[in-house]
Amino acid sequence: MPPARFDVVVVGAGPAGSAAALVLARGGARVALVDKASFPRDKACGDLIGPRAARLLGDLGLELPGPLPVGDLVVIGPSGGRALLRARSGLSYPGHGWALRRRELDRWLRQAALEAGAQEVQARVDGVEAGGRPATVHLDGRGALTADVVIGADGSTSTVAATCGLVDPGSILWGFAVRTYVPKEVELPVVAFWDPEPGRAFPGYGWLFPGPGGWANAGLGTGVGHDRRKGMAATRGLEGFLAHLHHLGLLGPEPCSARLGGWVKMGMVGTVPAGDGVLLVGDAAGMVNPLQGEGISQALDTGAAAARAILAGPGRASLAYTAHLRSRHLGFQSSTAAIHAALVHRPRLVSALGRALTTDRVSRALGPGWALYWNDLTDGAAPGPGRRMASTADRLARWATSRSRPSRWLSSALGPVPGRPQP
């Protein structure tokens, strides 16, 4: 066991936790990076690192080891219509992303944090006592660590969040995703909306993404609202979706690797991101895009932001971190969480929208704004029709969702949503 007293204990060594530990260690803090797994380890993920995440990695002075460049995205509707969403450089992010397996990304980020001076602790955390100084992190059968601040980066089913009373289970927007690898060269990433029954959309979407070494990532994700019992729909539906990709001419008879699934929390709803001596980052804080499931850029951003807030002053870290979440994430997450919640149980409406958006005329007209808004790239986009369209969509969404249940919950937990008229 390492020394038991630290400035900060980071629980979870995924992208959010490793980014936090890296920034803290570089800033001179004594930081423990705790994870129950032995690295490298696998995670259920589409393995795409978006443009904003690419910029964040550059800001941290990190260069990915052997990623595959990824640009434009193809969206396929239930009837086979296709929309091409162009990747364009913004003022604050590049016009491309990367594809890299989570196994490699997480191993590499964690190693960067350890090389910066973070202390490795391999143990399972079974509880956290916060609200006093110091906070105590209990390790399963291995004693405890104490620290001024604890960062919960332990995923969507966060033990830190649960034991510190920062979760409202009845308000969380859950999703479940399952993926497999296929020996296939894929030119452009594909998102496909799928109707298992005519006119009734699957409550989520599937994907086929390129990957390094000629192995594509194929998967299916579903939104289930507050009822996690429905999560198995993605696992049961994966074979049917792969057959759908075959029907579209995107897959052949290639053998698939083992399946791997995982839970996600979306839209920040149902989890208070900061308490007395505790900050939640990444998936633990529900920092996942409710429209398309991206979480890596949000993980990197919130991990680094939490670390900087602590370095600026542990006593005010919760206030500083919450202010960052409000200014950077709350507006988009709040309105899109409400949109997600409204659509996930309306399969006929989702099917109709998927068909309409992927017609040639509509996709050409809306594509530039769609690509920005859907991927949360409006803030920092280059001036032009796409940004104007996305900004208009954002304002309308914030207005239209102001009285929704997710928006009301977030307003009560984090304060009024920026840029939204208050009911």
Side-chain angles (χ1 to χ4, degrees):
M1 283 290 296
R5 184 69 168 91
F6 292 89
D7 297 318
V8 185
V9 172
V10 179
V11 181
S18 291
L22 174 69
V23 173
L24 286 163
R26 285 176 175 175
R30 296 170 299 161
V31 54
L33 183 55
V34 185
D35 200 294
K36 64 181 181 294
S38 176
F39 283 70
R41 57 94 175 97
D42 231 341
K43 283 287 184 179
C45 182
D47 296 341
L48 288 192
I49 300 165
R52 207 179 287 281
R55 170 61 186 269
L56 290 166
L57 289 170
D59 290 345
L60 292 172
L62 300 175
E63 185 174 344
L64 286 172
L68 180 71
V70 175
D72 299 342
L73 172 73
V74 176
V75 180
I76 303 179
S79 57
R82 302 193 179 199
L84 179 63
L85 304 187
R86 296 285 187 183
R88 303 187 186 280
S89 297
L91 302 177
S92 60
Y93 51 80
H96 65 84
W98 306 103
L100 184 69
R101 288 194 180 192
R102 279 291 301 273
R103 178 182 177 89
E104 295 304 315
L105 174 67
D106 290 13
R107 177 195 61 78
W108 172 76
L109 281 170
R110 175 178 172 273
Q111 188 60 36
L114 297 181
E115 290 175 358
Q119 174 69 56
E120 172 187 9
V121 178
Q122 185 178 350
R124 181 184 298 274
V125 171
D126 59 10
V128 175
E129 294 179 55
R133 295 291 185 271
T136 302
V137 178
H138 296 280
L139 308 180
D140 185 16
R142 299 188 60 188
L145 306 176
T146 58
D148 296 324
V149 184
V150 176
I151 292 180
D154 48 340
S156 58
T157 57
S158 169
T159 297
V160 176
T163 60
C164 291
L166 298 177
V167 179
D168 175 7
S171 297
I172 293 173
L173 294 180
W174 286 105
F176 187 83
V178 58
R179 67 99 178 107
T180 185
Y181 291 116
V182 185
K184 175 78 173 179
E185 294 282 354
V186 174
E187 182 180 357
L188 294 177
V190 171
V191 163
F193 294 97
W194 173 48
D195 285 5
E197 303 175 34
R200 295 180 63 85
F202 182 82
Y205 72 83
W207 67 83
L208 181 65
F209 293 159
W215 282 82
N217 182 314
L220 187 65
T222 182
V224 301
H226 317 311
D227 187 358
R228 291 178 64 184
R229 293 172 297 179
K230 299 178 180 179
M232 290 302 293
T235 301
R236 292 193 299 266
L238 182 60
E239 287 298 331
F241 176 70
L242 295 176
H244 180 62
L245 292 179
H246 178 75
H247 174 73
L248 294 172
L250 297 173
L251 278 185
E254 296 89 357
C256 298
S257 71
R259 280 68 164 161
L260 184 64
W263 289 100
V264 292
K265 284 193 301 191
M266 294 175 283
M268 299 173 65
V269 185
T271 303
V272 179
D276 187 9
V278 180
L279 307 180
L280 302 177
V281 297
D283 283 6
M287 296 301 307
V288 173
N289 185 329
L291 298 183
Q292 40 80 305
E294 178 191 14
I296 292 176
S297 69
Q298 295 90 335
L300 294 171
D301 175 78
T302 55
R308 292 179 181 124
I310 294 167
L311 291 172
R316 294 184 54 82
S318 292
L319 290 175
Y321 178 58
T322 300
H324 172 80
L325 295 181
R326 283 179 45 77
S327 64
R328 168 63 190 92
H329 296 284
L330 181 58
F332 177 82
Q333 294 278 349
S334 175
S335 56
T336 55
I339 293 170
H340 172 100
L343 291 177
V344 72
H345 301 303
R346 292 176 170 84
R348 293 191 183 279
L349 176 58
V350 172
S351 177
L353 286 172
R355 292 169 189 271
L357 288 170
T358 52
T359 60
D360 185 64
R361 180 174 296 181
V362 174
S363 66
R364 285 180 182 272
L366 300 183
W370 179 5
L372 294 176
Y373 181 67
W374 199 43
N375 293 302
D376 190 16
L377 295 174
T378 308
D379 181 22
R387 188 173 81 172
R388 290 194 294 272
M389 193 183 308
S391 296
T392 299
D394 182 54
R395 289 193 297 271
L396 288 172
R398 295 189 192 204
W399 173 80
T401 62
S402 61
R403 295 179 181 274
S404 67
R405 180 180 174 185
S407 297
R408 293 198 308 270
W409 192 95
L410 285 167
S411 292
S412 67
L414 280 84
V417 177
R420 169 180 288 164
Q422 296 307 302

